[in-house]
């Protein structure tokens, strides 16, 4: 197995990439995952039409910093002309890759014919891709799909063929159908079928949460790269752990104290990158704080307290209290 894959001219380590996650994987999140070993990151999805009408959030969503590279900007849209125009606009932000979202299940997106609705219209999906590829010039265009619209219309392989013929440089497959949203189990056999059908790189995605499931994704699908979404919540270390595990080098899990330090580092980054005041930016930080505490004694009670945080000083005090709770429990158990 080669150590890297190439999407166009972009070289990416074959470890694990961070999935695009609107409302979660913002720049602070991507920088944390990159610092702890993510091989590749993707922006939150951005509306192609919104960009064409100079949505004020464009710059915030599309800025690519060198620390994040290699990075893709992800666009969603169902009109080839708007897609082409949006690609030209986002090229100014110099993404390494442009990714098109054909997997989003949310009614607001699907209702416009975009996201996973494109899986029901292969001709239009191909036209949207072709328009993006033409506009992107040397920048590779990739597409992220699901296994199909519904359990009785699984068509990822046919769609992948059409997208490859339209010039897509790689395909990411999330092994769930649209009607599953995020429940049930992701199906690796569909990813395997797509990998067998196309000659461009295939990125496997769905339910990878640790080294074991990452290895299974590589082994069961033959994919070129694994992509992780929810498994990285409060756990950017996962990327380093996978990198070490796949290369057979030693890895030491972070202690609770180290995790709390990283949580505070993440919160500082959120505050630094936000244009909002501390109190409002802390709203953004709350869910992340709760995720870093997951899996420990008393984390359910602390989750509620995380959701009340309104300053960095409070987060620091809460982290200390959480550490002390774990220590006192260890003493009581001895
Ligand atoms: C909160 C959230 C936001 C998401 N936003 C996007 C998005 O903007 N674009 C996209 O292609 N997929 C999006 N996804 C889907 C993920 O990229 C991924 O395909 C899915 O979560 C399955 O991977 P996982 O099991 O590793 O989480 C989102 C998922 C979640 C949970």
């Amino acid at each position: 197995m080669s150590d890297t894959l190439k999407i166009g001219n972009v070289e990416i380590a074959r470890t694990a990439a961070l999935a695009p996650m609107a409302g979660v994987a913002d720049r602070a999140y991507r920088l944390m995952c990159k610092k702890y070993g993510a091989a590749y990151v993707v922006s939150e999805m951005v509306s192609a039409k919104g960009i064409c009408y100079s949505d004020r959030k464009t710059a915030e969503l599309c800025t690519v910093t060198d620390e994040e590279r290699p990075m893709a900007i992800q666009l969603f849209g169902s009109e080839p002309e708007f897609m082409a125009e949006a690609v030209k606009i986002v090229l100014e932000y110099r993404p390494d890759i442009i990714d098109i979202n054909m997997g989003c299940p949310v009614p607001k997106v699907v209702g416009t014919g975009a996201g996973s609705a494109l899986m029901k219209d292969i001709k239009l999906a191909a036209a949207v891709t072709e328009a993006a590829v033409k506009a992107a010039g040397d920048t590779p265009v990739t597409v992220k799909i699901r296994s199909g619209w519904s359990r009785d219309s699984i068509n990822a392989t046919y769609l992948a063929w059409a997208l490859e013929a339209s010039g897509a440089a790689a395909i990411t497959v999330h092994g769930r159908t649209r009607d599953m949203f995020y429940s049930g189990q992701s199906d690796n056999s569909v990813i395997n079928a797509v990998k067998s059908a196309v000659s461009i790189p295939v990125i496997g995605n769905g339910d990878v949460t640790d080294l074991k499931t990452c290895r299974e994704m590589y082994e069961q699908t033959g994919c070129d790269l694994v992509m992780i979404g929810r498994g990285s919540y409060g756990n950017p270390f996962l990327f380093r752990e996978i990198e070490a595990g796949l290369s057979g080098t030693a890895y030491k899990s972070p202690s609770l104290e180290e995790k709390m330090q990283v949580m505070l580092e993440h919160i500082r980054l959120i505050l630094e990158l936000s244009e909002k005041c501390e109190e409002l930016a802390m709203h953004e930080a709350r869910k992340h704080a709760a995720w870093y505490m997951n899996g420990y004694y008393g984390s359910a009670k602390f989750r509620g307290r995380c959701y009340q945080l309104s300053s960095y000083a409070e987060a620091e005090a809460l982290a200390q209290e959480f550490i002390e709770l774990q220590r006192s429990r260890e003493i009581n158990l001895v």
Side-chain angles (χ1 to χ4, degrees):
M1 172 168 143
S2 158
D3 291 347
T4 60
L5 79 148
K6 268 193 150 186
I7 298 180
N9 277 328
V10 183
E11 195 159 4
I12 300 172
R14 290 191 70 201
T15 52
L18 173 66
M21 288 188 285
V24 175
D26 56 8
R27 193 179 318 140
Y29 196 95
R30 295 192 299 267
L31 285 168
M32 294 305 292
C33 291
K34 206 73 221 292
K35 179 170 176 183
Y36 288 96
Y40 164 58
V41 301
V42 185
S43 77
E44 300 169 85
M45 62 178 179
V46 192
S47 159
K49 210 166 191 171
I51 284 180
C52 295
Y53 288 118
S54 67
D55 190 321
R56 63 183 172 80
K57 282 190 81 179
T58 305
E60 186 188 324
L61 290 168
C62 297
T63 298
V64 177
T65 57
D66 283 342
E67 294 92 327
E68 289 166 277
R69 294 183 189 281
M71 171 172 163
I73 294 180
Q74 189 188 64
L75 297 172
F76 70 93
S78 59
E79 290 144 297
E81 323 78 63
F82 280 112
M83 186 55 76
E85 194 52 38
V87 165
K88 285 182 197 151
I89 295 169
V90 301
L91 281 179
E92 287 168 25
Y93 295 90
R94 297 194 306 109
D96 300 291
I97 291 171
I98 289 174
D99 187 52
I100 305 176
N101 180 323
M102 295 193 189
C104 180
V106 174
K108 216 171 118 186
V109 171
V110 167
T112 66
S116 54
L118 283 167
M119 295 204 66
K120 291 195 292 185
D121 189 342
I122 293 189
K123 230 170 135 181
L124 182 58
V128 167
T129 305
E130 222 170 285
V133 169
K134 226 182 200 167
D138 292 339
T139 304
V141 173
T142 60
V143 186
K144 183 163 176 281
I145 65 175
R146 285 185 172 232
S147 54
W149 175 260
S150 62
R151 271 160 272 209
D152 51 14
S153 63
I154 290 178
N155 64 348
T157 306
Y158 298 107
L159 178 62
W161 269 330
L163 299 177
E164 182 178 33
S166 304
I171 312 255
T172 302
V173 187
H174 171 197
R176 280 190 178 79
T177 52
R178 186 269 174 175
D179 67 359
M180 292 169 79
F181 283 79
Y182 294 100
S183 62
Q185 258 205 322
S186 182
D187 180 358
N188 283 351
S189 72
V190 180
I191 303 170
N192 178 244
V194 172
K195 175 62 193 167
S196 307
V198 296
S199 50
I200 50 176
V202 171
I203 302 173
N205 168 242
D207 294 349
V208 173
T209 52
D210 53 19
L211 176 61
K212 179 175 173 282
T213 45
C214 181
R215 275 213 174 99
E216 282 167 5
M217 176 66 89
Y218 274 118
E219 286 164 9
Q220 293 172 7
T221 68
C223 68
D224 299 278
L225 180 65
V226 169
M227 180 174 267
I228 301 176
R230 293 162 298 170
S232 66
Y233 284 180
N235 189 18
F237 321 100
L238 179 58
F239 295 100
R240 190 68 77 218
E241 185 182 349
I242 286 173
E243 183 183 55
L246 294 178
S247 64
T249 52
Y251 175 78
K252 191 173 160 283
S253 299
S255 63
L256 174 66
E257 284 77 2
E258 284 163 335
K259 276 191 183 169
M260 291 298 103
Q261 282 310 316
V262 173
M263 175 194 88
L264 292 171
E265 181 188 351
H266 189 160
I267 295 176
R268 285 196 299 276
L269 202 54
I270 291 171
L271 297 178
E272 188 189 313
L273 295 174
S274 174
E275 286 167 6
K276 296 176 185 153
C277 66
E278 179 175 357
E279 194 182 340
L280 286 179
M282 279 304 293
H283 285 236
E284 213 28 68
R286 290 169 174 178
K287 58 179 178 284
H288 298 287
W291 286 334
Y292 278 94
M293 292 178 183
N294 254 349
Y296 287 92
Y297 172 72
S299 62
K301 188 174 144 228
F302 271 74
R303 186 174 314 131
R305 298 189 52 198
C306 286
Y307 276 91
Q308 288 168 355
L309 290 172
S310 56
S311 72
Y312 179 74
E314 283 172 23
E316 239 177 357
L318 196 65
Q320 193 50 43
E321 200 184 316
F322 192 63
I323 291 169
E324 276 157 23
L325 173 71
Q326 307 307 320
R327 278 194 197 131
S328 68
R329 183 160 185 265
E330 278 161 23
I331 291 166
N332 287 336
L333 285 174
V334 171

